[in-house]
Amino acid sequence: MGQEFLNIMDPEDVKKIIDDIPTNKRVEKILLGDSLNRVIAEDVRATINLPPFRRTSMDGYAVIAEDTFNASEDYPVSLKLIEVIGAGDVPEKKLRSGFCTEVSTGAPLPSGTTGVVMVEFTESNNAEILIYESAAIGQNITKEGSDVKEGELLLPRDTRITPDKIGVLSAIGMKTVTVYQQPRVAIISTGNEIINPNDKLTYGKIYDINSMTISSAVKACGCIPVHTDIVEDDYSALKNKINEFKYVDLILTSGGTSAGTGDVLREVLDDLGEVIVHGVAVKPGKPTIIGRLKNDEGLKYLFGLPGNPVAALMVFRVFFAPFLMKMASISTLTHSNNNVQTLKLSRRYRPARGRLHYVLVKIEGINAIPILKDSGAISSLAEADGFIKIPKNIEILEKGDSVQVFQLVDF
Amino acid sequence: MGQEFLNIMDPEDVKKIIDDIPTNKRVEKILLGDSLNRVIAEDVRATINLPPFRRTSMDGYAVIAEDTFNASEDYPVSLKLIEVIGAGDVPEKKLRSGFCTEVSTGAPLPSGTTGVVMVEFTESNNAEILIYESAAIGQNITKEGSDVKEGELLLPRDTRITPDKIGVLSAIGMKTVTVYQQPRVAIISTGNEIINPNDKLTYGKIYDINSMTISSAVKACGCIPVHTDIVEDDYSALKNKINEFKYVDLILTSGGTSAGTGDVLREVLDDLGEVIVHGVAVKPGKPTIIGRLKNDEGLKYLFGLPGNPVAALMVFRVFFAPFLMKMASISTLTHSNNNVQTLKLSRRYRPARGRLHYVLVKIEGINAIPILKDSGAISSLAEADGFIKIPKNIEILEKGDSVQVFQLVDF
């Protein structure tokens, strides 16, 4: 009955194999308003000076600084108001000694201005302005290009676009931005027992879970999931389906990877290319497969997840998500390191022998409570807040032991 | 020139005022495939048993356990194979003593089965199967409903939808899910000096930054930004624009909030309702305004951000984002606590006197490097990785002091 696994591999070796798979980067131009969380694909240089003109950083009066050098609380200097300039206005009158212009924050400064006195240190008496403070040369003036000069590097390629970075690009009037394309990942659920949502559940069948969970996880990794119908556990059906997707960047299958009777993925991969991983020493997730495809179009690799939904998501998280994020040019750091917490194990736990064991946990306060269900239990997905990793050489974890919990925040 | 701030308030008092603003929750039904990161608005109960039928958890042979009680490595028991059942198949033959059925993981079990022997402990000889291990009653059998029983609570309302939770909902064949609606937030940039992207930059004008940054930040908080044209700093223009948006859940404006000449927002708010906050003791962000509107439709509040983009984003983050997330039923915990790091200040820093001071920092290794630009500098948005909070009573921070850095991961 069935085939044996080719060669159960160490998880670190599998990670290395995945890490060595080359990724193709393509770029596209999109609207800035659609660019949140995307990644800039080329250096962006300033096309204008910022600020684009000399302006005041305060509400007050533009003056010739020398006019105010003797001003003090007790002996104010009196200047004649010649113009009022709001933000967006254009000053028409040049400043001369003895005169001043009222300016609002952000307004351009009349030529001749060498300082701005804040409104708090002045008193207005119709067209006569009393200045109670001596203005230093350059005071409250922001020079043209003092923030960023035309031609200067604004954002280097590979910058992730946050609202702040959108602000930087908006400042130079950009409407579109060149970003890396989001890789397309086809998701194929295989199995004679699985049916589509809303279909009538007949005896022996179960609803498809992996199409939905894996495509959501693919999205969370910055890639575009491409759906397809459920494929029966049949050599030709599976081979034809894979051949339909030669244009995508990666295929993810689930099911059809264990050593059981109905498992045809390995046969198909042997024919379309070669199996480079079949079986990993982890629990859950032993029946994980990686195939390299002979194909002149884009598609070069297929990652096969176990059919069991809990195992499929765990293998996806641990082995495949970092690769998808790399394809999508998203730094994996922002997605993982922030989500690790050190908690106390709520009870004694005996892990699997000889395999790296991933255990789903529920978080309650400072406690990590292992979920003691078998990996086929859907309810463990409902309860889990995170997971812990137990290396294969650990025999037992005691109640109260410190464990690193990887939170399931993003996927 | 201009009006004074009504009453500069303590930031904690402003947070309390915002926290007390009631939020309206509406629900909607959406496709499960579109529900990633949304929040479930009603308790979801299982509509079927999980698993829906009694099945095997291993590849092997369904047996009557008693038949195998004497089996051992040396004295195998021989059983006759009567049927082969793969996952998705329906068994047709009832098991009787002396017989067995080959079953693949996930396959339904023939009636009469009381145990499953793993394939590893058997040997097949055509229709004769040698059993080398005694099967306990119930061994490797997953009972119907043993994971989840029909009617049982699967996911409580207010659960955030991750790929795992999508898996749980898929398991019962759900195609749509009832979630909280995403609140609509209108974004209005005001100012005579700001122009749209791609428009020709004339003297005295600058490109609009806040429309883009604030709407991206609104998205990151789980709300839907509603855009509009730039509004001039003019009483009627602003009043008409606010009246256009009576149907949204909140208006966010930027600009027009400081005490300068051209500032009309406060006047408009006085007429449409009342100003409840005008001026907060923080740097940057002093000119922050909150208005309560008299309106029979949905809209009841307007939050006014400073015009300066750096200040606008900071005030949004610190004061308004938690409220938007609350409106969107997103737990603020997942979005903030994970993103705090303790780092060393790279240099001595003297904060603002008498105001809580938010300082943007660049992160390099274990160091937080304060960005020493004035809050009008766009380039600080390009460089910043996070910010630190310096309470108003701190006179100076020394080089090497530990600081809590809030990372700008999400917005």
Side-chain angles (χ1 to χ4, degrees):
Chain A
M1 178 195 276
Q3 298 164 298
E4 283 306 299
F5 292 107
L6 280 178
N7 173 21
I8 305 284
M9 291 178 72
D10 187 78
E12 288 312 308
D13 294 335
V14 174
K15 284 187 180 170
K16 228 167 283 161
I17 287 173
I18 295 172
D19 213 45
D20 287 343
I21 296 178
T23 54
N24 258 338
K25 299 202 172 178
R26 292 182 305 272
V27 304
E28 63 182 340
K29 220 173 206 177
I30 60 171
L31 285 173
L32 199 55
D34 297 330
S35 70
L36 189 63
N37 290 326
R38 299 292 293 271
V39 180
I40 296 177
E42 58 184 24
D43 290 348
V44 177
R45 293 185 176 277
T47 50
I48 56 173
N49 284 320
L50 291 177
F53 53 87
R54 195 170 74 124
R55 70 185 182 193
T56 172
S57 62
M58 291 289 170
D59 288 342
Y61 292 91
V63 297
I64 291 169
E66 288 83 348
D67 282 355
T68 69
F69 282 175
N70 293 319
S72 68
E73 256 324 299
D74 296 330
Y75 300 100
V77 166
S78 168
L79 296 174
K80 280 222 157 55
L81 182 68
I82 51 163
E83 206 175 5
V84 177
I85 302 296
D89 292 346
V90 178
E92 291 178 351
K93 295 186 179 148
K94 184 175 159 39
L95 265 196
R96 283 178 296 126
S97 182
F99 294 86
C100 68
T101 295
E102 185 182 319
V103 287
S104 304
T105 305
L109 290 168
S111 82
T113 306
T114 58
V116 173
V117 181
M118 283 169 72
V119 65
E120 286 86 339
F121 302 108
T122 66
E123 197 180 347
S124 163
N125 185 6
N126 294 321
E128 197 189 324
I129 309 298
L130 295 178
I131 308 286
Y132 289 95
E133 191 201 48
S134 162
I137 289 187
Q139 176 178 301
N140 298 324
I141 293 177
T142 309
K143 284 189 196 154
E144 176 183 347
S146 59
D147 183 7
V148 177
K149 288 213 165 29
E150 190 182 329
E152 205 175 293
L153 182 64
L154 260 189
L155 293 174
R157 64 188 280 174
D158 297 329
T159 300
R160 180 160 163 268
I161 303 180
T162 56
D164 301 73
K165 306 312 178 221
I166 288 180
V168 175
L169 301 173
S170 300
I172 58 168
M174 276 175 78
K175 210 168 177 171
T176 58
V177 57
T178 301
V179 295
Y180 294 110
Q181 268 188 27
Q182 296 184 292
R184 279 164 307 180
V185 178
I187 321 270
I188 303 175
S189 274
T190 69
N192 298 338
E193 75 278 29
I194 58 175
I195 60 170
N196 285 311
N198 271 3
D199 282 358
K200 198 180 144 42
L201 189 66
T202 57
Y203 182 70
K205 308 288 185 187
I206 55 172
Y207 285 113
D208 180 22
I209 296 176
N210 291 333
S211 291
M212 277 296 181
T213 55
I214 301 305
S215 64
S216 309
V218 163
K219 259 188 230 169
C221 290
C223 299
I224 299 172
V226 182
H227 284 276
T228 182
D229 299 327
I230 294 162
V231 176
E232 293 225 330
D233 232 347
D234 168 82
Y235 178 87
S236 323
L238 187 56
K239 188 171 170 180
N240 292 341
K241 186 55 79 180
I242 291 174
N243 281 328
E244 262 179 43
F245 284 112
K246 285 195 164 163
Y247 66 91
V248 301
D249 296 286
L250 182 72
I251 291 179
L252 282 174
T253 65
S254 69
T257 55
S258 84
T261 335
D263 299 319
V264 299
L265 178 61
R266 199 182 121 189
E267 274 177 72
V268 172
L269 286 176
D270 278 337
D271 281 3
L272 295 178
E274 56 176 330
V275 171
I276 57 175
V277 173
H278 187 213
V280 184
V282 291
K283 179 184 173 170
K286 189 163 104 178
T288 294
I289 200 165
I290 298 180
R292 191 190 289 126
L293 304 168
K294 291 195 200 90
N295 177 19
D296 296 333
E297 293 173 65
L299 180 68
K300 294 282 185 285
Y301 286 87
L302 179 148
F303 293 171
L305 296 161
N308 177 318
V310 181
L313 262 180
M314 191 56 81
V315 169
F316 179 85
R317 274 185 192 108
V318 174
F319 293 99
F320 299 154
F323 178 75
L324 268 74
M325 289 186 194
K326 191 169 99 180
M327 280 205 300
S329 307
I330 291 177
S331 148
T332 54
L333 276 176
T334 52
H335 276 258
S336 52
N337 282 7
N338 291 318
N339 301 326
V340 184
Q341 261 184 295
T342 304
L343 299 173
K344 299 273 168 226
L345 198 63
S346 70
R347 50 161 287 155
R348 186 176 146 112
Y349 190 84
R350 191 181 296 276
R353 280 277 170 102
R355 288 201 271 166
L356 173 61
H357 193 160
Y358 296 100
V359 182
L360 288 171
V361 298
K362 201 174 153 59
I363 299 174
E364 268 183 24
I366 61 156
N367 294 311
I369 305 165
I371 296 177
L372 302 174
K373 294 176 176 174
D374 75 70
S375 67
I378 304 307
S379 57
S380 62
L381 294 179
E383 291 170 24
D385 299 310
F387 64 90
I388 59 176
K389 288 187 206 179
I390 310 179
K392 66 175 174 187
N393 54 344
I394 300 283
E395 295 234 338
I396 197 153
L397 289 177
E398 295 296 341
K399 178 177 170 170
D401 277 359
S402 281
V403 287
Q404 296 276 95
V405 176
F406 296 78
Q407 276 185 272
L408 306 180
V409 173
D410 285 320
F411 57 87
Chain B
M1 178 196 276
Q3 298 163 297
E4 282 306 299
F5 291 107
L6 279 177
N7 171 21
I8 306 285
M9 290 178 72
D10 187 79
E12 288 311 309
D13 293 336
V14 173
K15 283 186 182 172
K16 229 166 281 159
I17 287 174
I18 294 172
D19 213 44
D20 287 342
I21 295 177
T23 54
N24 257 339
K25 299 200 173 181
R26 291 182 306 272
V27 306
E28 63 182 341
K29 220 172 206 179
I30 60 170
L31 285 172
L32 200 53
D34 297 330
S35 71
L36 189 63
N37 290 326
R38 299 292 293 271
V39 180
I40 297 177
E42 58 186 23
D43 289 348
V44 177
R45 293 185 176 277
T47 50
I48 57 173
N49 285 319
L50 291 177
F53 52 88
R54 196 168 74 124
R55 70 185 182 193
T56 171
S57 62
M58 292 288 171
D59 288 343
Y61 293 90
V63 298
I64 292 169
E66 288 82 349
D67 282 355
T68 68
F69 282 176
N70 294 317
S72 69
E73 257 322 299
D74 296 332
Y75 301 99
V77 167
S78 168
L79 297 175
K80 281 223 157 52
L81 182 67
I82 52 163
E83 205 176 5
V84 177
I85 301 296
D89 291 347
V90 177
E92 290 178 351
K93 296 186 179 148
K94 184 173 158 41
L95 265 198
R96 283 177 298 126
S97 183
F99 295 86
C100 67
T101 295
E102 184 182 321
V103 287
S104 304
T105 305
L109 290 168
S111 82
T113 306
T114 58
V116 173
V117 182
M118 283 170 70
V119 66
E120 287 84 339
F121 302 107
T122 67
E123 196 179 346
S124 163
N125 184 7
N126 294 321
E128 196 189 325
I129 309 297
L130 296 177
I131 306 288
Y132 289 96
E133 192 202 47
S134 163
I137 288 187
Q139 178 177 299
N140 298 324
I141 294 178
T142 308
K143 286 190 195 152
E144 176 183 346
S146 60
D147 183 7
V148 177
K149 287 212 166 29
E150 189 182 328
E152 205 175 292
L153 181 65
L154 261 188
L155 293 174
R157 62 187 281 174
D158 296 331
T159 300
R160 180 159 163 268
I161 302 180
T162 56
D164 301 73
K165 307 312 177 219
I166 287 180
V168 175
L169 301 173
S170 301
I172 57 168
M174 277 176 76
K175 212 170 176 172
T176 57
V177 57
T178 301
V179 296
Y180 293 110
Q181 268 188 27
Q182 296 184 290
R184 279 166 304 179
V185 178
I187 320 271
I188 303 175
S189 273
T190 69
N192 298 339
E193 74 278 29
I194 59 176
I195 61 170
N196 284 311
N198 271 2
D199 283 357
K200 198 181 145 43
L201 189 68
T202 56
Y203 182 70
K205 307 289 184 185
I206 54 173
Y207 285 113
D208 179 23
I209 295 175
N210 291 332
S211 291
M212 277 295 181
T213 55
I214 300 305
S215 63
S216 310
V218 162
K219 260 188 228 167
C221 290
C223 300
I224 299 173
V226 182
H227 283 276
T228 182
D229 299 328
I230 293 163
V231 176
E232 293 227 328
D233 233 346
D234 168 83
Y235 179 87
S236 324
L238 187 56
K239 188 170 170 181
N240 291 341
K241 187 53 79 180
I242 292 174
N243 281 329
E244 262 179 43
F245 285 112
K246 284 195 166 165
Y247 66 91
V248 300
D249 296 285
L250 182 72
I251 291 178
L252 281 174
T253 65
S254 69
T257 54
S258 84
T261 334
D263 300 318
V264 297
L265 178 61
R266 199 182 122 190
E267 274 176 73
V268 172
L269 287 176
D270 278 338
D271 280 3
L272 294 179
E274 56 174 332
V275 171
I276 57 176
V277 173
H278 187 213
V280 184
V282 291
K283 178 180 174 174
K286 190 163 104 179
T288 294
I289 199 164
I290 299 180
R292 191 190 291 127
L293 304 168
K294 292 195 199 89
N295 176 19
D296 295 332
E297 294 174 63
L299 180 67
K300 294 282 185 284
Y301 287 87
L302 180 148
F303 293 171
L305 296 160
N308 177 318
V310 181
L313 262 180
M314 191 55 81
V315 169
F316 180 84
R317 275 185 191 110
V318 173
F319 293 99
F320 298 154
F323 178 75
L324 267 75
M325 290 186 193
K326 191 169 101 182
M327 281 206 300
S329 307
I330 291 177
S331 146
T332 52
L333 276 176
T334 53
H335 274 259
S336 51
N337 281 6
N338 292 319
N339 302 328
V340 185
Q341 262 184 294
T342 303
L343 299 173
K344 299 271 169 229
L345 198 64
S346 71
R347 49 161 287 155
R348 186 176 146 112
Y349 191 84
R350 191 181 293 277
R353 280 276 170 103
R355 288 201 271 165
L356 173 62
H357 193 160
Y358 295 100
V359 181
L360 288 171
V361 299
K362 201 174 155 58
I363 298 174
E364 268 182 26
I366 60 156
N367 294 312
I369 305 166
I371 296 177
L372 302 174
K373 294 176 176 174
D374 75 69
S375 67
I378 303 307
S379 57
S380 62
L381 294 179
E383 291 170 24
D385 298 310
F387 65 90
I388 59 176
K389 289 187 206 179
I390 310 179
K392 67 176 174 186
N393 55 345
I394 300 284
E395 295 235 337
I396 197 154
L397 289 178
E398 295 295 342
K399 177 177 171 171
D401 277 358
S402 281
V403 286
Q404 296 276 98
V405 177
F406 296 79
Q407 276 185 274
L408 305 180
V409 173
D410 284 320
F411 56 87

